[in-house]
Amino acid sequence: MPQLPKHSHNIVLLSRLTPQKETAAGPPGSPTTITPGINARPLVRPATPQRKAVNDATTYNPCLSCGACCAHFRVSFYCGEVAGEGGGVVPADLVSQVGPLRACMKGTEYGGQRCIALRGELGQPGIHCSIYESRPSPCREFDPWMPDDSPNPDCQRVRLNIGLPPLPTRPHDDDDGGCPSHTPPRRGDIAA
């Protein structure tokens, strides 16, 4: 069976049927194919909008209207993360070597300067990383909130430097009616 596109919006249902010859099940170019013994049909998503998960980064992401950390901190990381023979993913043409085993994003070598991969205007909606899927580990690991849901002090400081208001405590979707079974455990919670 051909592999579905990475961002397919179809769900595939597989069921055993009597063997049949391989034919296309949908319009030409459709990713769904009937193979001998298997019937794959696309199912239509429901028209009603689904509630986003609390841990969904798109629910509330202050980074999508900030970019202050990308224009302030030195983004330094192990050189094995650079694309090439080592298997890394960070594009080599956007990186400077700063030591025998360390690299950093161009523009951030001395700190206080904008990363070469940052697109858009600081503090404005739409600011983003042009290599988001291939960003280095410091970018992947930096969180605007601490594990206790309080704002990250480093994030607060650089936000204030560009004139943005401080972040509140991490917002939560309290739409579960207060039911404890819908609240994920946090560090320090005690099992009853």
Side-chain angles (χ1 to χ4, degrees):
M1 182 164 151
Q3 195 169 14
L4 292 176
K6 187 175 183 181
H7 299 290
S8 175
H9 293 289
N10 292 332
I11 299 171
V12 177
L13 172 67
L14 300 175
S15 63
R16 269 282 158 216
L17 293 178
T18 56
Q20 50 189 307
K21 82 174 201 187
E22 190 168 312
T23 59
S30 166
T32 306
T33 302
I34 297 173
T35 53
I38 296 177
N39 180 15
R41 293 175 287 144
L43 295 177
V44 180
R45 284 188 165 189
T48 58
Q50 304 247 338
R51 194 174 97 188
K52 293 185 185 228
V54 174
N55 63 354
D56 185 347
T58 62
T59 302
Y60 172 66
N61 187 343
C63 302
L64 295 176
S65 61
C66 182
C69 63
C70 306
H72 179 79
F73 297 114
R74 176 179 171 173
V75 183
S76 178
F77 50 93
Y78 173 62
C79 63
E81 292 185 51
V82 178
E85 294 175 16
V89 295
V90 181
D93 58 327
L94 302 181
V95 172
S96 295
Q97 186 152 1
V98 293
L101 297 176
R102 302 295 294 170
C104 76
M105 293 302 296
K106 286 184 179 178
T108 71
E109 292 92 340
Y110 302 103
Q113 299 294 315
R114 186 181 174 110
C115 176
I116 190 170
L118 185 63
R119 300 289 183 268
E121 188 176 334
L122 288 179
Q124 298 300 312
I127 194 159
H128 65 282
C129 176
S130 64
I131 61 164
Y132 187 79
E133 292 299 321
S134 302
R135 68 197 187 280
S137 58
C139 304
R140 291 177 184 278
E141 295 165 3
F142 188 83
D143 193 337
W145 287 285
M146 303 300 288
D148 68 354
D149 294 333
S150 65
N152 182 327
D154 291 329
C155 178
Q156 296 288 60
R157 182 171 46 89
V158 294
R159 283 178 63 84
L160 293 173
N161 283 346
I162 66 166
L164 290 176
L167 288 177
T169 300
R170 184 190 317 252
H172 291 281
D173 183 4
D174 294 328
D175 222 9
D176 65 4
C179 177
S181 65
H182 294 145
T183 306
R186 295 186 200 174
R187 186 178 291 183
D189 282 355
I190 299 172

